[in-house]
Amino acid sequence: MPLRSGGSRTIDTMLHFLLAGGMVVPGFPVLGVGREVGDVNKDEEGISRARDAAKNMAWLIKTMKKAQES
């Protein structure tokens, strides 16, 4: 299993900045791990998180659009 904790403080700081500004963050930040070119494509956990983030973003966009229409 790839080690994902190296940049966690950086991501945590960026997330706090976004939330403090009132931004909606639809999910956990996505991190892909790899050393060589193409390794990230083999990172199943990273790919899974990216898919989940995309689903959350699609839901958020649809919800915001409905709210603007009403």
Side-chain angles (χ1 to χ4, degrees), residues 1-65:
M1 180 170 154
L3 180 62
R4 298 181 188 282
S5 63
S8 62
R9 179 66 181 152
T10 301
I11 290 173
D12 183 58
T13 300
M14 290 189 303
L15 186 58
H16 279 87
F17 174 77
L18 296 173
L19 293 172
M23 183 171 181
V24 176
V25 180
F28 191 77
V30 177
L31 294 173
V33 178
R35 180 179 290 260
E36 303 296 328
V37 174
D39 281 354
V40 173
N41 294 328
K42 300 172 191 170
D43 179 11
E44 294 177 18
E45 184 180 350
I47 298 295
S48 176
R49 287 186 180 186
R51 283 193 184 109
D52 289 343
K55 288 176 188 176
N56 290 342
M57 183 62 78
W59 172 84
L60 178 60
I61 291 169
K62 289 176 188 176
T63 302
M64 291 174 67
K65 186 174 182 181

